[in-house]
Amino acid sequence: MVSGSLQEATDDRLVVKALLDLSAEEWLLRRKGFRNSEKSVQVNETLLTIGNGYLNIRGSLEELPPGNAGGMYVGGIYDKSEADVEELVKCPMWTDVSVWSDGCKFCMTTCKVLSHEQILDMKKGVLHRSTTLVNPAGQIVRLETARLVFMHDVHLGYMMVTVTPINFSGPIRVLSGLNGEVCNRGFFPREKLKHLQLERIERGRALMYIEMKTRERGIRIAEAASWKLVSPFMQSFAWEPRIYGEKFTSEISLEARQGESYVFEKLVVVATSREFVAEEMFKGTICKLKSFVRTGVVPEITAHLKAWNEKWKQADIVLIGDEKAQHAVRFNVYQLLINAPSRPAGIGAKFLSSEGYLGHVFWDTEIFILPFYVYNFPDVARNMLLYRYNTLDGAKKNALKMGCKGAKYAWESATTGEDVTPRFASKLERTIRLIYTGTEEDHIVSDVIYGVEKYFRVTGDDSFLVDYGFEMVFLTARFWASRVVEEGDHYEIRCVIGPDEFHEHVNNNAYTNFMVKWHLGLAVLLFKYMGRSYSGILDDLVAKIGLEREEVDVWLAISRKLRLTYDPQTRLFEQFDGYFSLKDYLVEKFDRKGHPVLPEGIDYSNIQSTRLIKQADVLIMMMLFPHSFSDEDKRANFDFYEKRTAHASSLSHCIHAMMGLSVGMRTRAYHYFMKTALFDLENLHENTALGIHAAAVGGTWQTVISGFGGFSIKSDRMVLKPWLPKKWESLSFCVQWRARTVEITIFHDRVALLVISDEKLLLPVTLYEKTWKIMTNKRYELPYCVVKR
Ligand code: IFM
């Protein structure tokens, strides 16, 4: 008979085991061996990032080997101080651990590494590490760690550290603390930028506390932690807390016995002054830690595993027959899951995985990343769009600064929405050159509105439109009306940069102009819709932003008469005025990784005078509005522009994958899909050290769902035009559409479909050319034949 407390202890052990046992191989990302190179260390750190959307932590080794770029980032915490512009702040670290024996630290670079592996368990959001080291004195130690931040309570973190002396007995010291001595990496080589200043550092009985404040905006970040030896039970060991300036170190020393494993646990709380008023920070954070310590980690683990399970239940994509693609897709979905903001916040171009692009928010967010959340977690999508609403004041200032009206979303956005694009290219591009994107890459304004419309179309969330969306659409439409130039019987937009950033200061970029045409048309429609359905609210809004009927008439006129150059003979859209007169070169050579090599004599100083482009431009316009262009037009433009694209941006491949599928260039499409899906896993642009390419991650999801799955929503119906590569036996995914759950499995000849809803409804579904009516809550298998192109 097992006693109550023994039973509880056994149950607790089972819960911890459920967390720490590795999931099946397809859910793991393994990084084996150690290469003592800065690049390799940092690539691993990026790939092994853990997080929960509130805070993310790079997968740095606990003892922080030379060349590391470890860091923890909390979404939305930016600071400028001496930096050129605001940047995402590196926060105090709590994952540092070091093990010492005989005055010698066990470290990857001063010891011999006998074995080493880090494993990211993507199913549970846990990072494992197992390393065996031998120090110069011949002492062998095995160090095992597991760390996570909780998904259900984003303020909590946990780490388990196991130290085993393999061939010796004697004193060892194991140190861990709270490290406020952190700096951002800065702009120039070896520059370091300090964004935090110490507010309070305290120790209690077995507790540590640090509170720091951003230097400019005064946002406080507090961390409280407990660090304990939990097994074996020992009568005598020493615990010594020490404070060195901005660093708290808690040292446990003990007499270790050969072969015995010593297990330490760290429980952590992270909070900011966005959750607690400054005076309550200390009390609030410490109380939370105490209650965490009191109830222990087990209930949190249970809730964490449940939260991850639910996330994967919604977002997992099962792709039978292509292990490599399956693993890569899981990795990309994992990234999207650990970066979902639980409060109104933007998502940076590198997620929260690093300081790359200074943590700024670009068009990547609405065009590449948002669709995943719209279709899987509409609340998260709403939070992302609320960030844009909350930054409208900044956007108004941006418009004013350039002598325009209304609101202009920033090309690079941070706290306020005022443009924070750096004026110079980063040191990472080696040469210093002026950046014009902040003043010219204005398509961002309509990209944000594209996100708003997509969110509304898929979720049907009228309240968002009423409370925020209408105002966003109208103020940005007003910006365009003041930005365009009237020329004879049409309108133009001059001096812009389109998605192809090789060509600056161009007039009438096709993508920009098409987006603006659509945006102004939408504003007119919504104005009418508001008049019909929300006349009272329209009156309030009209009063708030001073909107006049005549202004809306002007939007309609501009939308109709904005220039777009299309040649009916060739079916080509000219990317911008004069593009077709530029010197023509084709991309014909590729390097060993398959990247386009620029033709001889062409480099970034003269590429502007050629037709070579950096990334999809006209093609992204066609991808975003698939129903607005004929198959022939898509084909002609794909054939023309693909040959001239350098794919010098991670945003390019997924667009080519989706467009390739829509024009029947399926082998090319698969090639581009794998490039996108493996972008970081294979470090394709050699810059994964600087963070995850969030747009490629979102683009991977889109390519699977809208590309291979051929899934889209067209007004009241689902439209499916699937195509599976030969080796894929099936593709299964699940989406949310107007509070319904849609489960889809695609085979080569049929689609299995189930729409789960609280209501009994008959819904139209178009599968290739045929439209079916299906009942909610009933499983269907619909046959189809792939349309040949
Ligand atoms: O937004 C992109 C841009 O299109 C190309 N350069 C990188 C930016 C951030 O990802």
Side-chain angles (χ1 to χ4, degrees), residues 21 40 45 119 121 150 219 225 233 236 391 394 498 507 520 524 548 558 574 577 681 684:
D21 279 355
S40 153
E45 289 176 343
I119 306 174
D121 188 333
F150 289 92
I219 302 173
F233 173 75
S236 65
T391 52
N507 296 339
L520 293 177
V524 174
E548 307 270 345
I558 300 173
E574 186 172 34
D577 291 356
L681 281 172
L684 286 187

mmCIF file of all heavy atoms in Angstrom, residues 21 40 45 119 121 150 219 225 233 236 391 394 498 507 520 524 548 558 574 577 681 684:
data_model
loop_
_atom_site.group_PDB
_atom_site.id
_atom_site.type_symbol
_atom_site.label_atom_id
_atom_site.label_comp_id
_atom_site.label_asym_id
_atom_site.label_seq_id
_atom_site.Cartn_x
_atom_site.Cartn_y
_atom_site.Cartn_z
ATOM 1 N N ASP A 21 11.031 13.995 -20.425
ATOM 2 C CA ASP A 21 11.229 12.925 -21.417
ATOM 3 C C ASP A 21 11.144 13.537 -22.812
ATOM 4 O O ASP A 21 10.227 14.315 -23.093
ATOM 5 C CB ASP A 21 10.133 11.858 -21.281
ATOM 6 C CG ASP A 21 10.443 10.890 -20.146
ATOM 7 O OD1 ASP A 21 11.528 11.007 -19.559
ATOM 8 O OD2 ASP A 21 9.586 10.037 -19.849
ATOM 9 N N SER A 40 29.124 29.801 -35.219
ATOM 10 C CA SER A 40 28.439 28.548 -34.914
ATOM 11 C C SER A 40 27.733 28.641 -33.558
ATOM 12 O O SER A 40 26.593 28.194 -33.407
ATOM 13 C CB SER A 40 29.487 27.435 -34.964
ATOM 14 O OG SER A 40 29.129 26.396 -34.151
ATOM 15 N N GLU A 45 22.400 29.455 -30.833
ATOM 16 C CA GLU A 45 21.616 30.252 -29.880
ATOM 17 C C GLU A 45 20.297 30.705 -30.494
ATOM 18 O O GLU A 45 19.256 30.675 -29.857
ATOM 19 C CB GLU A 45 22.409 31.490 -29.451
ATOM 20 C CG GLU A 45 23.579 31.177 -28.558
ATOM 21 C CD GLU A 45 24.396 32.413 -28.227
ATOM 22 O OE1 GLU A 45 24.264 33.443 -28.919
ATOM 23 O OE2 GLU A 45 25.175 32.354 -27.279
ATOM 24 N N ILE A 119 19.272 19.929 -27.252
ATOM 25 C CA ILE A 119 18.079 19.423 -27.945
ATOM 26 C C ILE A 119 16.895 20.310 -27.594
ATOM 27 O O ILE A 119 16.562 20.481 -26.422
ATOM 28 C CB ILE A 119 17.749 17.971 -27.521
ATOM 29 C CG1 ILE A 119 18.969 17.067 -27.706
ATOM 30 C CG2 ILE A 119 16.562 17.434 -28.301
ATOM 31 C CD1 ILE A 119 18.770 15.655 -27.164
ATOM 32 N N ASP A 121 13.086 20.572 -27.588
ATOM 33 C CA ASP A 121 11.856 19.782 -27.722
ATOM 34 C C ASP A 121 10.735 20.750 -28.089
ATOM 35 O O ASP A 121 10.198 21.470 -27.241
ATOM 36 C CB ASP A 121 11.570 19.059 -26.396
ATOM 37 C CG ASP A 121 10.422 18.073 -26.541
ATOM 38 O OD1 ASP A 121 9.558 18.281 -27.406
ATOM 39 O OD2 ASP A 121 10.400 17.090 -25.778
ATOM 40 N N PHE A 150 7.254 29.307 -19.115
ATOM 41 C CA PHE A 150 5.943 28.676 -19.142
ATOM 42 C C PHE A 150 5.031 29.347 -20.161
ATOM 43 O O PHE A 150 5.062 30.558 -20.339
ATOM 44 C CB PHE A 150 5.327 28.697 -17.743
ATOM 45 C CG PHE A 150 6.044 27.751 -16.816
ATOM 46 C CD1 PHE A 150 7.100 28.181 -16.031
ATOM 47 C CD2 PHE A 150 5.679 26.418 -16.764
ATOM 48 C CE1 PHE A 150 7.775 27.303 -15.197
ATOM 49 C CE2 PHE A 150 6.352 25.528 -15.934
ATOM 50 C CZ PHE A 150 7.404 25.977 -15.146
ATOM 51 N N ILE A 219 11.154 52.183 -18.210
ATOM 52 C CA ILE A 219 10.372 50.945 -18.018
ATOM 53 C C ILE A 219 11.182 50.026 -17.104
ATOM 54 O O ILE A 219 12.371 49.803 -17.317
ATOM 55 C CB ILE A 219 10.123 50.235 -19.361
ATOM 56 C CG1 ILE A 219 9.395 51.170 -20.320
ATOM 57 C CG2 ILE A 219 9.319 48.946 -19.158
ATOM 58 C CD1 ILE A 219 9.268 50.616 -21.716
ATOM 59 N N ALA A 225 14.282 35.208 -8.220
ATOM 60 C CA ALA A 225 14.582 33.798 -8.456
ATOM 61 C C ALA A 225 14.946 33.083 -7.169
ATOM 62 O O ALA A 225 15.437 33.700 -6.224
ATOM 63 C CB ALA A 225 15.736 33.683 -9.453
ATOM 64 N N PHE A 233 19.270 14.803 -0.827
ATOM 65 C CA PHE A 233 19.113 15.575 0.387
ATOM 66 C C PHE A 233 20.471 15.610 1.084
ATOM 67 O O PHE A 233 21.093 14.590 1.309
ATOM 68 C CB PHE A 233 18.052 14.926 1.275
ATOM 69 C CG PHE A 233 17.978 15.601 2.607
ATOM 70 C CD1 PHE A 233 17.379 16.847 2.718
ATOM 71 C CD2 PHE A 233 18.568 15.021 3.721
ATOM 72 C CE1 PHE A 233 17.349 17.498 3.939
ATOM 73 C CE2 PHE A 233 18.533 15.678 4.944
ATOM 74 C CZ PHE A 233 17.924 16.915 5.048
ATOM 75 N N SER A 236 24.870 19.062 4.798
ATOM 76 C CA SER A 236 25.856 20.142 4.816
ATOM 77 C C SER A 236 26.241 20.574 3.408
ATOM 78 O O SER A 236 26.823 19.808 2.645
ATOM 79 C CB SER A 236 27.107 19.691 5.558
ATOM 80 O OG SER A 236 27.689 18.656 4.836
ATOM 81 N N THR A 391 -0.392 52.828 -32.322
ATOM 82 C CA THR A 391 0.713 53.656 -32.815
ATOM 83 C C THR A 391 0.231 54.674 -33.869
ATOM 84 O O THR A 391 1.051 55.261 -34.588
ATOM 85 C CB THR A 391 1.842 52.781 -33.404
ATOM 86 O OG1 THR A 391 1.284 51.877 -34.364
ATOM 87 C CG2 THR A 391 2.549 51.976 -32.337
ATOM 88 N N GLY A 394 1.832 58.164 -33.619
ATOM 89 C CA GLY A 394 3.169 58.203 -34.227
ATOM 90 C C GLY A 394 3.041 58.288 -35.743
ATOM 91 O O GLY A 394 3.768 59.036 -36.414
ATOM 92 N N GLY A 498 9.895 50.255 -53.703
ATOM 93 C CA GLY A 498 8.944 49.138 -53.622
ATOM 94 C C GLY A 498 9.576 48.007 -52.817
ATOM 95 O O GLY A 498 10.661 48.162 -52.256
ATOM 96 N N ASN A 507 9.437 56.137 -59.475
ATOM 97 C CA ASN A 507 8.057 56.629 -59.580
ATOM 98 C C ASN A 507 7.131 55.478 -59.968
ATOM 99 O O ASN A 507 7.473 54.646 -60.808
ATOM 100 C CB ASN A 507 7.949 57.712 -60.661
ATOM 101 C CG ASN A 507 8.769 58.947 -60.290
ATOM 102 O OD1 ASN A 507 9.088 59.161 -59.113
ATOM 103 N ND2 ASN A 507 9.120 59.749 -61.288
ATOM 104 N N LEU A 520 -7.613 52.530 -51.206
ATOM 105 C CA LEU A 520 -8.568 53.633 -51.315
ATOM 106 C C LEU A 520 -9.959 53.116 -51.700
ATOM 107 O O LEU A 520 -10.976 53.605 -51.206
ATOM 108 C CB LEU A 520 -8.070 54.675 -52.319
ATOM 109 C CG LEU A 520 -6.801 55.417 -51.874
ATOM 110 C CD1 LEU A 520 -6.312 56.379 -52.951
ATOM 111 C CD2 LEU A 520 -7.031 56.176 -50.571
ATOM 112 N N VAL A 524 -13.453 53.543 -49.469
ATOM 113 C CA VAL A 524 -14.741 54.021 -49.989
ATOM 114 C C VAL A 524 -15.851 53.025 -49.621
ATOM 115 O O VAL A 524 -16.912 53.395 -49.117
ATOM 116 C CB VAL A 524 -14.653 54.215 -51.525
ATOM 117 C CG1 VAL A 524 -16.015 54.569 -52.110
ATOM 118 C CG2 VAL A 524 -13.612 55.280 -51.872
ATOM 119 N N GLU A 548 -14.986 64.306 -44.455
ATOM 120 C CA GLU A 548 -16.069 64.882 -45.271
ATOM 121 C C GLU A 548 -16.376 63.932 -46.423
ATOM 122 O O GLU A 548 -15.474 63.262 -46.929
ATOM 123 C CB GLU A 548 -15.599 66.203 -45.914
ATOM 124 C CG GLU A 548 -15.035 67.229 -44.967
ATOM 125 C CD GLU A 548 -16.092 68.153 -44.426
ATOM 126 O OE1 GLU A 548 -17.190 68.164 -45.017
ATOM 127 O OE2 GLU A 548 -15.835 68.832 -43.414
ATOM 128 N N ILE A 558 -9.001 58.791 -57.050
ATOM 129 C CA ILE A 558 -7.574 58.399 -57.077
ATOM 130 C C ILE A 558 -7.468 56.885 -57.306
ATOM 131 O O ILE A 558 -6.648 56.415 -58.112
ATOM 132 C CB ILE A 558 -6.871 58.785 -55.758
ATOM 133 C CG1 ILE A 558 -6.939 60.292 -55.537
ATOM 134 C CG2 ILE A 558 -5.410 58.326 -55.780
ATOM 135 C CD1 ILE A 558 -6.426 60.755 -54.179
ATOM 136 N N GLU A 574 4.918 46.842 -65.595
ATOM 137 C CA GLU A 574 6.257 47.423 -65.453
ATOM 138 C C GLU A 574 6.469 47.747 -63.981
ATOM 139 O O GLU A 574 5.629 48.414 -63.346
ATOM 140 C CB GLU A 574 6.387 48.694 -66.293
ATOM 141 C CG GLU A 574 7.812 49.218 -66.263
ATOM 142 C CD GLU A 574 8.066 50.371 -67.225
ATOM 143 O OE1 GLU A 574 7.137 51.183 -67.432
ATOM 144 O OE2 GLU A 574 9.199 50.457 -67.752
ATOM 145 N N ASP A 577 8.193 53.202 -63.348
ATOM 146 C CA ASP A 577 8.400 53.968 -64.580
ATOM 147 C C ASP A 577 9.862 53.834 -65.031
ATOM 148 O O ASP A 577 10.779 54.118 -64.250
ATOM 149 C CB ASP A 577 8.114 55.456 -64.349
ATOM 150 C CG ASP A 577 6.635 55.710 -64.108
ATOM 151 O OD1 ASP A 577 5.845 54.755 -64.204
ATOM 152 O OD2 ASP A 577 6.289 56.870 -63.802
ATOM 153 N N LEU A 681 17.163 26.959 -40.490
ATOM 154 C CA LEU A 681 17.691 25.649 -40.089
ATOM 155 C C LEU A 681 18.994 25.356 -40.823
ATOM 156 O O LEU A 681 19.895 24.729 -40.281
ATOM 157 C CB LEU A 681 16.670 24.556 -40.409
ATOM 158 C CG LEU A 681 15.531 24.428 -39.407
ATOM 159 C CD1 LEU A 681 14.476 23.454 -39.919
ATOM 160 C CD2 LEU A 681 16.045 23.970 -38.045
ATOM 161 N N LEU A 684 20.746 29.632 -44.529
ATOM 162 C CA LEU A 684 20.952 29.806 -45.969
ATOM 163 C C LEU A 684 21.601 31.126 -46.346
ATOM 164 O O LEU A 684 22.340 31.199 -47.315
ATOM 165 C CB LEU A 684 19.622 29.646 -46.719
ATOM 166 C CG LEU A 684 19.108 28.215 -46.820
ATOM 167 C CD1 LEU A 684 17.893 28.138 -47.718
ATOM 168 C CD2 LEU A 684 20.179 27.260 -47.324
#
